[in-house]
């Protein structure tokens, strides 16, 4: 998607603090972290929000989730939260499916 912020970040058009990159997944540190560790993990394929995902997207989203677990291990996180906000009312501000990996401190429940 030509004007998508996260597509531009994954393409290297906008700088980011990269955590991981391959042909299907890109992960980078959030610029406004909500925890000591706050990494965004995105599929390179543009999907606006989780509700827009279709059956053909299952493998790609699975790659994002398993990569999130690997990143958590690499960062030494034993306890963490993986969150996907779906839509503006849930707090989504960039409409490219992304997961927040949050850790490094106790995380309260409910979150908001």
């Amino acid at each position: 998607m030509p004007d998508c912020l996260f597509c531009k970040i994954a393409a290297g058009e906008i700088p980011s603090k990269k955590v991981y990159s391959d042909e299907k997944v890109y992960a980078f540190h959030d610029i406004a972290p909500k925890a000591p560790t706050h990494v965004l993990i995105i599929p390179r394929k543009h999907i606006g929000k989780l509700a827009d995902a279709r059956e053909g997207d299952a493998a790609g989203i699975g790659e994002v989730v398993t990569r999130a677990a690997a990143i958590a291990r690499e960062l030494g996180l034993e306890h963490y939260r993986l969150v996907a906000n779906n839509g503006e009312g849930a707090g989504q501000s960039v409409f490219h499916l992304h997961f927040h990996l949050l850790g490094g401190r106790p995380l309260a429940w409910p979150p908001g």
Side-chain angles (χ1 to χ4, degrees):
M1 175 115 355
D3 55 344
C4 171
L5 175 66
F6 286 176
C7 286
K8 289 179 179 182
I9 288 172
E13 297 171 21
I14 295 174
S16 68
K17 190 174 174 190
K18 180 175 68 172
V19 173
Y20 179 82
S21 178
D22 68 18
E23 65 280 350
K24 295 181 182 179
V25 177
Y26 190 79
F28 56 101
H29 289 279
D30 194 297
I31 62 168
K34 304 301 184 225
T37 299
H38 189 166
V39 175
L40 301 176
I41 305 108
I42 67 171
R44 286 189 180 268
K45 177 185 178 186
H46 183 86
I47 302 169
K49 60 185 185 275
L50 194 55
D52 296 336
R54 298 295 175 246
E55 191 172 311
D57 297 320
I61 293 170
E63 297 254 355
V64 171
V65 172
T66 55
R67 179 50 50 194
I71 290 168
R73 285 189 298 274
E74 291 163 10
L75 295 176
L77 298 176
E78 181 179 354
H79 305 281
Y80 58 89
R81 183 171 290 156
L82 187 62
V83 177
N85 298 319
N86 185 74
E88 198 172 311
Q92 186 176 5
S93 59
V94 176
F95 286 84
H96 181 120
L97 175 62
H98 58 286
F99 290 83
H100 297 258
L101 174 63
L102 300 152
R105 68 167 170 81
L107 299 166
W109 194 261

